Amino acid sequence: AWRVVAVGGIELNDDGFQYQSVAANALKGRFAQTSIAYYNTELSHGRLPAPLTTFPAGYPLAIALGMTLGLSSAQAGFAVSLLASLATLIALDRIARWLRLRPMGHGALLVAFAINAVAMHYATSVFTEALFTALCTWATLHWVVGTHELAQGRAAGARLLLGFGLYGAAYSVRYAGLFLILGALAAPALEALRRRRAALALRYTWPGLAIVAVVMLRNVGGVGDWKGGNDKSVWNDPWPILAKTLPNLVNLAFGSVSRQASVVLKFAVPLAAVLLACAIAAYLWRLSRRAAPAAQAGAGHDGEIESRRFVVYAGLGLLLYVAGIAYVRITSVTAYDVRMFYPTLPVLLALAAL
C-alpha cells in the first residue's frame, strides 16, 4: 500500500501495456494476440491484432482471468503481481520450515523479502517478474523436497509432478524459465552418477516439458523460431557484461549503488567468484562429513541432509540461470539488469539465511 501511494498508482511501462492488450484480446477470443505491435516479429504479420511470440502468453492470460472478475486490465495485472508476491513469501516460509531454520533466521528471511525495495516494486507493477518469481520459488521448493523424499524411499510422485509442472508454467510466463528447467534437470542427473535412485526423479518431468513443448511448437508454427523471433545476430564483449553481475546482485539486495561503488564492485567480481566457490565447497564438505553418521544410523529426515540438498539443487539452478541470462545478453540485445536477477532473490535469501 505504501508503494502504491508513493508512486501515485500502479506502475506501468511499454511491456505492461503490451500485456494488457494481449489480455483484452484474449477475452475477445483472440488467444495470444496483441494490438500494440512494436517488435519486428509482430509487425511482420501485417495485421492487427498480431500473434504475439516475443513474450509468452502466461502473464497476460492471468490478467485476463482477473478481468473476468470485473477488474480493469491494470487492476488485474496489479492483483496478479501482488498475490504472486504474497505467494512467494509463503513459499519462503515453507522453505524455512523444511530447512528447520532457527527462529531468528526464519524471521529474518521473511522480513528481508517483504521489505526489499525491488520486491515491493514488482509486487505493485504490471510486470511478469512477480508471477515468474512465485512460480520459480514454488517449483524449486517442491522439486527439492520431492527429490529428497524420493532419495529417502518415500512416495514423492505428486510433489515432483507439481514441481516440474510449475517450472513449465514459469516458462509460459518468461522464456528465461528454460534456464531454471535446465538446472532442475542437471541436479538429479549429476546425483545419479553416485546414486542411481536420484535419476528416478527425471520420470516426473513430463508435465513441465509438455508445457515447454507446446509453447515452442506454437512459436515455430507462427514465426518459424522456437525462441519466438526477434533474433539479432550479435556478439557483445563478455567481460563488461559479466562484470555487472555483482553490482546487479548488490542492487537487488540493497537498492541502487553509486557509480563509484559500481566501479569498485566490477573489479571485485573475480575475487568474489573465487571466494564464493571456496565457501560453497567448504560448506558442502562439512555437511557431507556431518551427514554421513546420520545416514548410517538410518536417519530419514535430518536437517543437515536437507540443507545439503537445498544448497546443491537450488545453488546449481541459480548458477545455470545466471549463466543463461549472461549468455543471452552476450549474444543478443536484451537487458542485463536487476530485472533479470529478481527471480533469484528468494533463493539467494534462503541460502543466506541457511
Side-chain angles (χ1 to χ4, degrees):
W2 173 85
R3 170 74 186 179
V4 172
V5 172
V7 301
I10 301 169
E11 189 165 349
L12 298 167
N13 74 347
D14 292 345
D15 291 350
F17 289 107
Q18 183 82 263
Y19 304 139
Q20 292 180 74
S21 175
V22 176
N25 280 310
L27 293 181
K28 298 176 182 177
R30 306 187 190 111
F31 174 79
Q33 297 186 39
T34 178
S35 298
I36 307 176
Y38 54 80
Y39 287 105
N40 290 341
T41 297
E42 282 71 43
L43 291 170
S44 67
H45 295 285
R47 64 180 176 86
L48 290 177
L52 178 74
T53 54
T54 299
F55 305 123
Y59 182 60
L61 291 179
I63 294 176
L65 181 62
M67 293 173 66
T68 62
L69 303 177
L71 300 175
S72 68
S73 58
Q75 290 171 340
F78 167 76
V80 171
S81 295
L82 182 60
L83 292 175
S85 297
L86 292 174
T88 303
L89 194 63
I90 295 172
L92 282 174
D93 176 69
R94 297 294 185 271
I95 290 173
R97 293 176 185 275
W98 187 70
L99 293 174
R100 299 185 179 184
L101 294 181
R102 295 179 179 179
M104 180 67 72
H106 189 155
L109 171 61
L110 300 183
V111 171
F113 180 79
I115 67 173
N116 181 272
V118 181
M120 284 194 287
H121 167 62
Y122 289 122
T124 55
S125 306
V126 183
F127 294 119
T128 59
E129 274 64 33
L131 179 58
F132 181 66
T133 301
L135 291 171
C136 294
T137 307
W138 277 102
T140 300
L141 169 62
H142 286 299
W143 187 247
V144 174
V145 175
T147 53
H148 174 76
E149 292 176 346
L150 191 66
Q152 299 294 317
R154 288 178 279 171
R159 186 184 290 276
L160 289 169
L161 288 172
L162 175 59
F164 219 86
L166 290 173
Y167 278 127
Y171 177 78
S172 75
V173 173
R174 282 187 62 184
Y175 292 138
L178 182 62
F179 302 127
L180 293 170
I181 289 175
L182 294 177
L185 291 172
L190 290 175
E191 189 178 11
L193 298 176
R194 187 167 53 93
R195 300 177 185 174
R196 291 185 178 181
R197 189 178 187 87
L200 296 177
L202 299 176
R203 298 186 305 177
Y204 301 98
T205 60
W206 61 266
L209 296 180
I211 295 174
V212 172
V214 169
V215 175
M216 288 184 176
L217 288 174
R218 176 182 179 271
N219 290 343
V220 171
V223 297
D225 181 7
W226 65 270
K227 293 179 287 186
N230 288 307
D231 285 339
K232 184 176 179 62
S233 181
V234 299
W235 180 261
N236 297 303
D237 186 0
W239 170 246
I241 294 172
L242 296 176
K244 294 179 181 178
T245 301
L246 188 57
N248 279 328
L249 292 174
V250 172
N251 288 337
L252 178 64
F254 304 108
S256 298
V257 298
S258 67
R259 182 179 298 273
Q260 292 79 6
S262 181
V263 171
V264 173
L265 288 171
K266 288 180 181 180
F267 286 102
V269 168
L271 177 61
V274 172
L275 292 177
L276 179 61
C278 292
I280 292 176
Y283 184 70
L284 293 177
W285 178 80
R286 183 177 66 87
L287 287 181
S288 64
R289 290 178 61 85
R290 294 183 62 181
Q296 294 174 359
H301 193 75
D302 184 81
E304 295 287 351
I305 299 176
E306 295 156 5
S307 299
R308 179 177 60 181
R309 184 173 297 276
F310 183 80
V311 170
V312 173
Y313 274 57
L316 182 59
L318 181 68
L319 290 174
L320 287 179
Y321 175 81
V322 173
I325 61 175
Y327 174 77
V328 169
R329 179 64 184 95
I330 292 170
T331 58
S332 71
V333 295
T334 57
Y336 190 71
D337 53 20
V338 173
R339 182 181 183 185
M340 300 294 112
F341 285 83
Y342 176 63
T344 68
L345 179 62
V347 169
L348 287 172
L349 291 177
L351 290 172
L354 186 61

